[in-house]
Amino acid sequence: MLKNFTLLYVENNEEAIHAFSNAFKKHFKGIFIARNGEEAMDIFKISHPDIVITEIQIQKMDCFDMIERMREIDPNLPVIINSVFSDTHLLLQSIALHVDDYILKPTNPNVMLKALEKAARVLNLEKSLARSYMMMQTIIDEIPDPIMYIELDFSVSMMNKAAKELGGEDVDAIVPKCYKISDKTSGACADGFHPCPIEHVSKTKKPSTLRHVHTDKKGKKHHIDVDARPIFDADGTVVAYLEIRHDISNYHNIQNKLLHETKKLTHISMHDSLTHLPNRRLLDDRINHAIDRKKRSGGEFAIFFIDLDHFKEVNDTLGHLIGDQLLIHVAKRIRKMTRKGDTIARNGGDEFVLLIDDGISQSHFTTVAEKILKLFEAPFLIHGNEIRSACSIGISIFPQDGQTVESLLHHADVAMYTSKEAGRQQFAFFSPAAAV
């Protein structure tokens, strides 16, 4: 066990040095001899021995000062005092310096060997822990997300490379608090900008993920998922926390773009590309919803089938571009007069369908029809052309004229043709006689 270690023996008695060397040189990888404190410090700084055995009464330096200076260089250095002095004052000084053992002279080789083996076991454990720590540090440094091992007082005792980069250049100079890692960006938990994931875990003793939004120095927003979980000891007591931060900004942006594109595609699939009014697909959905509502609550709604009069003549004489612009202007005028709960849709060609929800009576639908006809009294000015247009309207009413989308639209269409046959530029309600 001792063969892997070197030893510094501080002693000014030649007989003691000779006796110790003969008894223990075979156990160690190497033994350094120092006959005073200054020589001991020089050897320690150059050779870095693993264990130190020292007499209290040494020359050129106080023994306890020497131990303190060595411990400043290596805080975990095992130190054994081997002395003839045993008064209480010296023992208390040794205890205050956390000396590993105090062996009185004349030295019992077996007692000394046991003390050295004990020190070697501690060194082996410390080296094993150091190797484990280095291995763990190497592993977590390869992980791109910031990782922090957080003590109960919020101090960070271990972090990976990504967390250090998040904390800034001076993060290694101190033992930072976990929320200080976020001080390089706005919104640290300590400032009350965000709920603290560690506090949440300490209360629930369960893993927790919270969403934070931080802003960096350049003003760029970062969406962060902070995943925190408790670390338990053998008794089930929380002794620390593990926190992993995932910057999901790119995912968040992609998700928003996909959502925007989805909404855009949905809008396109439900709206007419020329007038941007609801198309037949969306119209059918709106009528179905109106039917369901009225079946539950009672009441009426009306379907207005609106067809432009002599629209083909506009296309034939002025061209399809002017005809398309006329459809756009008609759509705008009708849309301006509709209420929020109503729907104006383009059914195709020069046909429009208006769903008037919550009609009080047939007289109300008559008033609406008259308003639509008046919309065409003023001419449409398109590309320098003053175009006069008109429409014919057919009206079906739920529930008496139909209880399905198909029947209501069909009967409104039948009523519209009744208007056409009666001379155009007027409206008609559906009559069962007209459907025969």
Side-chain angles (χ1 to χ4, degrees):
M1 183 185 293
L2 294 171
K3 272 292 184 182
N4 296 323
F5 301 104
T6 57
L7 172 77
L8 173 59
Y9 185 61
V10 187
E11 174 63 66
N12 54 20
N13 184 291
E14 294 299 328
E15 289 184 10
I17 293 171
H18 182 72
F20 184 87
S21 297
N22 287 339
F24 292 100
K25 65 181 179 181
K26 63 182 180 181
H27 293 285
F28 285 92
K29 183 179 180 181
I31 295 179
F32 304 99
I33 305 297
R35 290 170 174 81
N36 60 65
E38 290 183 358
E39 187 180 358
M41 285 304 305
D42 290 339
I43 293 172
F44 185 80
K45 290 176 182 177
I46 295 170
S47 302
H48 306 291
D50 299 301
I51 303 172
V52 172
I53 297 177
T54 182
E55 168 64 76
I56 287 180
Q57 193 175 38
I58 58 174
Q59 297 175 355
K60 296 187 179 181
M61 188 178 295
D62 179 78
C63 165
F64 296 111
D65 286 343
M66 180 191 73
I67 293 172
E68 278 191 283
R69 289 171 62 182
M70 289 179 176
R71 284 274 176 80
E72 287 175 0
I73 299 171
D74 182 359
N76 298 317
L77 175 70
V79 177
I80 298 172
I81 290 180
N82 184 208
S83 178
V84 296
F85 299 102
S86 60
D87 60 83
T88 303
H89 175 69
L90 295 175
L91 289 172
L92 290 174
Q93 279 188 280
S94 301
I95 292 170
L97 287 173
H98 302 288
V99 168
D100 294 78
D101 227 321
Y102 197 110
I103 299 173
L104 292 173
K105 293 180 178 178
T107 305
N108 182 324
N110 290 328
V111 173
M112 178 61 77
L113 184 60
K114 287 181 179 179
L116 289 169
E117 288 177 342
K118 178 183 175 184
R121 284 194 296 272
V122 173
L123 284 174
N124 278 323
L125 286 172
E126 288 175 352
K127 286 187 175 182
S128 177
L129 287 172
R131 284 195 299 271
S132 297
Y133 183 92
M134 289 180 64
M135 181 176 67
M136 181 62 69
Q137 188 70 54
T138 301
I139 291 171
I140 67 173
D141 278 345
E142 293 301 314
I143 299 173
D145 293 322
I147 299 173
M148 294 183 287
Y149 187 90
I150 302 169
E151 305 294 344
L152 297 179
D153 64 351
F154 298 98
S155 61
V156 180
S157 58
M158 186 177 186
M159 70 182 86
N160 69 345
K161 184 179 178 181
K164 290 178 181 179
E165 290 174 354
L166 187 66
E169 296 178 358
D170 59 345
V171 73
D172 284 325
I174 57 171
V175 179
K177 301 293 186 180
C178 59
Y179 49 80
K180 286 292 182 182
I181 300 296
S182 296
D183 277 354
K184 301 300 177 183
T185 58
S186 69
C189 302
D191 295 330
F193 285 95
H194 301 100
C196 175
I198 299 303
E199 287 184 351
H200 188 262
V201 172
S202 69
K203 292 176 182 177
T204 63
K205 294 183 172 53
K206 294 180 181 179
S208 174
T209 300
L210 298 177
R211 177 71 54 83
H212 287 184
V213 179
H214 292 175
T215 304
D216 62 22
K217 291 179 179 179
K218 296 179 180 179
K220 183 180 178 182
K221 284 190 176 182
H222 294 264
H223 295 263
I224 311 293
D225 272 356
V226 184
D227 180 38
R229 54 193 61 241
I231 304 296
F232 299 97
D233 63 9
D235 298 324
T237 302
V238 176
V239 294
Y241 307 97
L242 184 68
E243 182 176 291
I244 304 174
R245 301 184 179 201
H246 308 278
D247 190 332
I248 62 165
S249 300
N250 289 336
Y251 169 77
H252 187 267
N253 291 337
I254 291 171
Q255 189 181 48
N256 282 343
K257 286 180 181 178
L258 288 174
L259 184 61
H260 175 74
E261 290 300 318
T262 301
K263 288 181 178 179
K264 187 176 177 181
L265 289 172
T266 301
H267 184 272
I268 290 172
S269 70
M270 293 286 193
H271 290 79
D272 172 54
S273 59
L274 178 65
T275 63
H276 302 296
L277 293 177
N279 60 15
R280 177 62 186 269
R281 182 181 175 188
L282 182 53
L283 174 66
D284 287 358
D285 184 68
R286 297 274 177 87
I287 296 173
N288 273 318
H289 279 295
I291 290 171
D292 291 340
R293 285 197 305 273
K294 297 306 179 185
K295 283 182 177 180
R296 290 193 302 268
S297 62
E300 297 178 336
F301 68 84
I303 300 295
F304 287 62
F305 206 104
I306 306 167
D307 186 88
L308 300 189
D309 296 331
H310 306 295
F311 179 72
K312 184 176 182 302
E313 294 175 13
V314 176
N315 279 338
D316 291 343
T317 58
L318 299 176
H320 287 276
L321 180 61
I322 298 297
D324 286 346
Q325 289 298 312
L326 176 60
L327 292 173
I328 292 171
H329 281 70
V330 168
K332 287 180 179 179
R333 286 192 185 181
I334 298 176
R335 186 161 48 193
K336 283 183 179 180
M337 63 146 288
T338 58
R339 301 172 305 177
K340 186 176 181 180
D342 300 332
T343 298
I344 176 64
R346 186 185 177 199
N347 193 49
D350 61 338
E351 296 175 346
F352 297 88
V353 175
L354 176 62
L355 164 63
I356 298 294
D357 205 354
D358 295 327
I360 302 171
S361 63
Q362 186 167 318
S363 63
H364 170 72
F365 299 135
T366 298
T367 301
V368 173
E370 290 171 346
K371 286 182 179 179
I372 295 172
L373 293 175
K374 285 184 179 180
L375 292 176
F376 290 83
E377 290 180 356
F380 296 90
L381 186 62
I382 301 173
H383 294 176
N385 298 293
E386 191 176 90
I387 300 172
R388 291 193 173 275
S389 182
C391 69
S392 298
I393 305 171
I395 307 169
S396 64
I397 300 174
F398 176 89
Q400 58 263 36
D401 296 334
Q403 298 190 27
T404 65
V405 174
E406 292 76 13
S407 61
L408 287 166
L409 286 172
H410 174 66
H411 290 158
D413 187 33
V414 169
M416 184 271 296
Y417 276 105
T418 300
S419 297
K420 293 275 190 187
E421 291 169 0
R424 302 177 189 270
Q425 202 170 346
Q426 55 187 290
F427 65 90
F429 287 92
F430 171 73
S431 171
V436 178

